[in-house]
Amino acid sequence: LIAIVRPADAARYLDRPEIRGMYLHRERRLVARDTGQSLQHEFVHLVHYADMERLGQTHPIWMQEGLASLYEDYSFRADGGVEFHPNIRFNFARKQVLSDTARAWRELTSLSPDDFMKDAERHYPQVRAMFEYFARERKLEDFYRAMVATYKDDPTGASAIERAFGEPLGKVELRGRKWMRERGAGDDRVEPGDPALGILGDDVGDGVRISSFAPGSAARAAGLRVGDVIQSVAGSPVRNKDELVLAIARLRLGESVEVRFRRSGEATALMVLHRPLGR
């Protein structure tokens, strides 16, 4: 069962508001709040659990959540390959590296599921950044194959990283952290003076429903109305408010972009000339 729950029903299936989705393999049940990041995250869990069951293995929690988090934001290249994009988790992970508060990879890979989840806000960004680095170095498939091969002797996955990269874990970690520092933080906020749609909205599962407009709203000037459900901005899918903020943060002042939305069950689009927030 794959279910996208309505906001009014979410509390019946998901324990807390911050839980975006859940996959229970024994029950074969996936529940997500939206068709974007949360569905993509949980669907990777579904596929991964199926493969672990086939292999007779239970991969470590950091690997399970790192893989699932990696596929929250990606696109297909023209050659059919997958390109992973930084999301809001990367900035959190980078701050940990810069402040020297990130867990050492040796320690992180050995955490139990309970210990990992006790500090989930700290660990999820770090493991996604690790897997994004694996993908950047074209070692993602090598790592997975190595994990399967070394699981019996080292179920933590540390040996699999070393086999995939052909180097000690500490050296791989140092290069990964250097890449994070040099890459820089992504723009994940819309602040005064930045381009903005000028709306307030609510998550509805497959987009963001406009609930009101800010003074001087660019969206309202273009013809959007309260009740319209925004589903993409400048070609970037919008399935929840987090994705909307990231899509807007990528825009430049003065550009006119296509905003696709649903109105009374019908899909349509308008060009919106973005205005600075707060003006």
Side-chain angles (χ1 to χ4, degrees), residues 188-247:
D188 59 9
R189 306 178 72 175
V190 179
E191 300 179 335
D194 289 347
L197 286 178
I199 69 161
L200 293 177
D202 302 304
D203 290 340
V204 292
D206 66 340
V208 177
R209 179 186 290 128
I210 299 174
S211 59
S212 63
F213 293 102
S217 167
R220 187 172 188 175
L224 277 82
R225 306 172 186 168
V226 169
D228 289 345
V229 177
I230 296 174
Q231 297 185 303
S232 77
V233 174
S236 297
V238 169
R239 282 75 57 106
N240 55 51
K241 288 187 285 188
D242 287 345
E243 291 185 352
L244 178 61
V245 170
L246 289 174

Side-chain angles (χ1 to χ4, degrees), residues 51-170:
D51 198 46
M52 288 191 292
E53 184 176 76
R54 178 184 66 84
L55 294 165
Q57 298 180 353
T58 303
H59 296 157
I61 185 68
W62 74 269
M63 176 182 174
Q64 293 183 33
E65 297 302 340
L67 269 176
S69 298
L70 179 64
Y71 279 89
E72 290 171 351
D73 288 279
Y74 71 94
S75 60
F76 289 105
R77 299 192 301 266
D79 63 4
V82 176
E83 182 175 352
F84 299 99
H85 305 295
N87 65 13
I88 196 169
R89 296 191 194 274
F90 180 80
N91 287 352
F92 288 126
R94 184 173 181 272
K95 286 178 181 177
Q96 292 180 50
V97 169
L98 293 176
S99 62
D100 200 26
T101 58
R103 282 191 185 273
W105 286 14
R106 181 76 64 182
E107 181 182 2
L108 186 62
T109 57
S110 64
L111 289 175
S112 69
D114 285 344
D115 288 339
F116 184 94
M117 296 307 297
K118 282 177 184 177
D119 205 358
E121 291 186 3
R122 176 187 180 191
H123 295 148
Y124 272 80
Q126 189 172 355
V127 295
R128 187 185 195 270
M130 288 173 65
F131 273 90
E132 199 177 349
Y133 180 66
F134 293 175
R136 177 188 179 276
E137 295 296 302
R138 300 184 182 276
K139 298 294 186 181
L140 190 59
E141 294 181 16
D142 291 341
F143 165 74
Y144 196 91
R145 284 192 290 264
M147 182 72 238
V148 173
T150 61
Y151 177 79
K152 184 177 179 181
D153 295 325
D154 180 12
T156 71
S159 296
I161 298 174
E162 293 180 332
R163 176 180 287 200
F165 282 83
E167 291 182 317
L169 183 64

